[in-house]
Amino acid sequence: MTDAHVERLRGLQPEPRREAQAALAQAATEGVDVMVTTGLRSFAEQSRLYAQGRTTPGNIVTHAKAGQSYHNFGLAFDFVVVKNGRAIWDQNHKDWKRFVEICKAHGFDWGGNWRTFKDYPHLQGSGVPDLSELLASFPHVWRGTPARSRWRTATNLPVRNGSRDPDPDSGHGLVAQVQRLVLVDDDGYFGDVTEAAVSSFQKTHDATGARVPPGTALAPTGVVNRATFNALEAADRAADDAEAAEGGGWLSTAEIAEAIDANATGVARNWPRIARALRHAGMRSRAAKIAAAATVRVEVGSGFEPINEFGDEDYFTRMYEGREDLGNTEPGDGARYHGRGYIQLTGRANYRTYGDLLGLPLEDEPSLALQPSVAARVLVEYFAQRGVDDAARRRAWKLVRRKVNGGLNGWPLFKASVDALRVAA
Ligand SMILES: [Zn+2]
């Protein structure tokens, strides 16, 4: 199913989504044409709708505040019957009745059966918990992916799983700040990845931000309270100071882009994350920066963004399925763990190893490896595992390339990039 309206089902939780898709497919075989008009509705959208006709212009369209609709939890969808390209808003139409019947067989309750405030276009999962129960266990009740419904606005510490910045896109909120400090993508939504990164920091740092052995470290709660926040800031300041002591900054992203003939936007978006990851791994030499920038340029091209290995499921299956050397032990592993990032992380075993090293759930969520901050940490960890930093500081550039590539693929471009960066700096 590829129709645009079916996309609206994507935000539903897995089970109702599957059932709704099956119901639509069955309706189609019977010549009953239906369009999905609403699926998941975030808390913010629900609040906007509720305000309409009350505090903002327009007619009142809903009686439900945020959290008072099953749409907010991805457990309901709305539809309309379509005939000859036109929407039929008539619940007595035979196609309307038929679709409701089909959906009942697929485990949905129909809003047309409600005693008060009938809602004819509305279907919701039957046997789902009460809204009060959903709200009480919120945000952990959520199992779907585009989980934007579950967030609580964060304006103060502590922040934790389920917190979000008031204006996530601005990048100015508390959550985004924490995310930059723990080196994950700063999208302003504190989810499982941020939580894992915070725990991993807490396990290895004390209240002064110093790296310490387990036992003397902070409690790994995954929650950022004042003590953890101060420790995060102190650790970051220490990394900055150490870099300044060794000669400080380097080229601007525009200068890097110019030197290695790469897309300026891509470099501006990705380089600061790579630089940060290098700094936090203690790779503060100019040579390490040169090695990283030239490696990324060669590995992903002039776009300077993490890449998804090119190919479709058949191709990945042919290439990687069942490969013991990659730890692909389960059916589907070949496609699931295809190459991602600046250097292509490939195979279940590698996703697991790097996930463990970085304290991130890469094996469960392989697509994380496409996030610039995560890709940067994988790259830097890879450097650390192979002693790339040492080779770079000795200006052993062929060795750098060999350590990353295994051979000398891309050597001319790599060498040209290294030279250009050395001249530019
Ligand atoms: Zn509805």
Side-chain angles (χ1 to χ4, degrees), residues 38 41 69 71 76-78 114 119 121-123:
T38 306
R41 191 185 295 135
S69 161
H71 287 286
F77 72 99
D78 296 343
W114 294 347
D119 188 359
H122 179 95
L123 290 153

Coordinates of all heavy atoms in Angstrom, one line a residue, residues 38 41 69 71 76-78 114 119 121-123, ligand 1:
T38 N -7.2 10.9 9.5 CA -6.4 11.2 10.7 C -5.9 9.9 11.3 O -6.6 8.9 11.4 CB -7.2 11.9 11.8 OG1 -7.9 13.0 11.3 CG2 -6.3 12.3 12.9
R41 N -2.4 11.8 16.4 CA -2.5 13.2 16.6 C -1.7 13.6 17.9 O -2.0 13.1 19.0 CB -3.9 13.7 16.7 CG -4.1 15.2 16.6 CD -5.5 15.6 16.9 NE -6.4 15.2 15.9 CZ -7.6 14.6 16.1 NH1 -8.0 14.5 17.4 NH2 -8.4 14.2 15.2
S69 N -7.8 11.9 23.9 CA -8.2 11.2 22.7 C -7.3 10.0 22.4 O -6.1 10.1 22.6 CB -8.2 12.2 21.5 OG -8.2 11.5 20.3
H71 N -6.5 9.1 19.7 CA -5.6 9.5 18.6 C -4.2 9.9 19.2 O -3.2 9.8 18.6 CB -6.2 10.7 17.8 CG -7.3 10.3 16.9 ND1 -7.1 9.7 15.8 CD2 -8.6 10.6 17.0 CE1 -8.3 9.5 15.2 NE2 -9.3 10.0 15.9
A76 N -6.1 5.1 17.4 CA -7.4 5.4 16.7 C -7.1 6.0 15.4 O -6.0 6.6 15.1 CB -8.3 6.4 17.5
F77 N -8.1 5.8 14.4 CA -8.0 6.6 13.2 C -9.3 6.9 12.7 O -10.3 6.4 13.1 CB -7.2 5.8 12.1 CG -7.9 4.6 11.5 CD1 -8.5 4.7 10.3 CD2 -7.9 3.3 12.2 CE1 -9.2 3.6 9.7 CE2 -8.6 2.3 11.7 CZ -9.2 2.4 10.4
D78 N -9.4 8.0 11.8 CA -10.6 8.4 11.3 C -10.6 8.2 9.8 O -9.5 8.1 9.2 CB -10.8 10.0 11.5 CG -10.9 10.3 13.0 OD1 -11.2 9.4 13.8 OD2 -10.7 11.5 13.3
W114 N -21.2 5.0 20.0 CA -21.2 5.7 21.3 C -22.6 6.3 21.6 O -23.3 6.7 20.7 CB -20.1 6.8 21.4 CG -18.7 6.3 21.2 CD1 -18.4 5.0 21.4 CD2 -17.5 7.0 21.0 NE1 -17.0 4.8 21.2 CE2 -16.5 6.1 20.9 CE3 -17.3 8.3 20.7 CZ2 -15.2 6.4 20.7 CZ3 -16.0 8.7 20.5 CH2 -14.9 7.7 20.5
D119 N -19.4 9.7 17.0 CA -18.3 10.2 16.2 C -18.1 9.2 15.0 O -17.4 8.2 15.1 CB -17.0 10.3 17.0 CG -15.8 10.9 16.3 OD1 -16.0 11.3 15.1 OD2 -14.7 11.0 16.9
P121 N -16.9 9.1 11.9 CA -15.6 8.7 11.1 C -14.6 8.0 12.0 O -13.5 7.7 11.5 CB -15.1 10.0 10.7 CG -16.1 11.1 11.0 CD -16.9 10.5 12.1
H122 N -14.9 7.7 13.3 CA -13.8 7.4 14.2 C -13.8 5.9 14.6 O -14.8 5.3 14.9 CB -14.1 8.2 15.5 CG -13.1 7.9 16.6 ND1 -12.0 8.7 16.8 CD2 -13.1 7.0 17.6 CE1 -11.3 8.3 17.8 NE2 -12.0 7.2 18.3
L123 N -12.6 5.3 14.5 CA -12.4 3.9 14.9 C -11.3 3.8 15.9 O -10.2 4.4 15.7 CB -12.1 3.0 13.7 CG -13.3 2.8 12.7 CD1 -12.8 2.6 11.3 CD2 -14.2 1.7 13.2
Ligands
ZN1 ZN -11.3 10.2 15.6

